[in-house]
Amino acid sequence: MILPQPLKHDAALDAKHAAGLTPYNGISLSGIHLIVSAQQAEQALAALLCADVLGFDTESKPTFVKGEQSRGPHLIQLATDDAAYLFPVGSAFNQQVAHAVLSSAQILKVGFGLSDDLKRLQGKMGISTQNVLDLSVALRQGSRNDVGAKTAVAKFFGMHLQKSKKTSTTNWAAPQLTERQMLYAADDAQVALRIYRAWRTRQHVPGGITTPD
């Protein structure tokens, strides 16, 4: 696998540069599983426990009033190479899956900008996450600046990851998510896994980037 050369900087992509890149094609709707029953949760857990690494993220209903505290997370996303599983946290069976996977020391969970996610999971659900890698920090390569998903996608794939602010600020606590929400949430988790795979591959390519674990 020949990987594109990295960008010369880790700053956020400007609009002019992004416009010249091929759009990133994320996961299809058919690969997304919204977990709304105990049986689905059981099947999802079985699939997730077989993975060595999972893409990971959470979504929270936004707050618009000054001083209002977030009550998130409201959705937990976990992705394998082939599928993404979305877990609304209001159900006991989804919380059980989240506890089992996120507290597992055997499964590596990777994502971008996870600091707040981990704090909210601990505060709201009492989940002490283990074996989590924040790619925003891991991909710095000596820089003080965190690396965002957009920059990582451009660096490793030569593509532009489109992130809709309109979708990101929708109601993630809604009883029924829209297709747009599901695609957004699933991509957030799976793109992290894809970046992780590409990064680890490049570490073993002669002349490739080597970044400390």
Side-chain angles (χ1 to χ4, degrees):
M1 179 180 181
I2 300 176
L3 298 169
Q5 292 299 309
L7 299 179
K8 294 182 179 180
H9 59 83
D10 279 334
L13 295 177
D14 58 44
K16 184 177 180 180
H17 189 169
L21 299 177
T22 301
Y24 171 80
N25 291 321
I27 190 170
S28 65
L29 195 61
S30 62
I32 302 173
H33 305 277
L34 180 63
I35 309 304
V36 295
S37 72
Q39 182 179 7
Q40 290 176 327
E42 183 178 351
Q43 294 170 345
L45 179 59
L48 294 169
L49 291 179
C50 292
D52 59 331
V53 187
L54 294 170
F56 164 51
D57 197 20
T58 74
E59 303 292 346
S60 299
K61 179 181 178 181
T63 58
F64 298 104
V65 179
K66 184 177 180 180
E68 181 182 1
Q69 296 294 318
S70 171
R71 297 184 179 181
H74 295 99
L75 184 74
I76 297 172
Q77 306 102 273
L78 294 165
T80 66
D81 294 296
D82 303 315
Y85 300 87
L86 310 182
F87 300 90
V89 302
S91 59
F93 47 81
N94 279 348
Q95 292 187 25
Q96 290 171 0
V97 173
H99 274 274
V101 176
L102 297 178
S103 63
S104 171
Q106 285 70 48
I107 305 171
L108 175 63
K109 281 75 65 175
V110 299
F112 284 93
L114 296 176
S115 177
D116 285 343
D117 302 77
L118 302 185
K119 291 177 182 177
R120 290 175 179 175
L121 285 165
Q122 175 68 58
K124 180 174 181 175
M125 302 171 63
I127 298 178
S128 297
T129 53
Q130 295 191 55
N131 203 6
V132 174
L133 177 66
D134 192 331
L135 294 172
S136 294
V137 177
L139 298 177
R140 282 179 181 173
Q141 298 174 13
S143 169
R144 294 182 179 181
N145 298 320
D146 285 356
V147 178
K150 282 187 176 182
T151 298
V153 168
K155 172 185 285 189
F156 287 96
F157 302 145
M159 295 180 177
H160 173 50
L161 175 65
Q162 299 177 342
K163 298 275 288 182
S164 169
K165 185 175 181 180
K166 182 178 180 180
T167 303
S168 70
T169 55
T170 52
N171 182 9
W172 295 102
Q176 178 60 51
L177 298 180
T178 66
E179 289 186 359
R180 186 184 296 272
Q181 283 179 304
M182 289 192 289
L183 287 167
Y184 181 98
D187 273 339
D188 267 1
Q190 196 179 63
V191 75
L193 177 58
R194 290 177 176 176
I195 290 296
Y196 174 80
R197 299 286 194 204
W199 172 50
R200 295 299 293 173
T201 297
R202 184 176 285 182
Q203 285 184 307
H204 296 93
V205 173
I209 298 173
T210 300
T211 304
D213 290 331

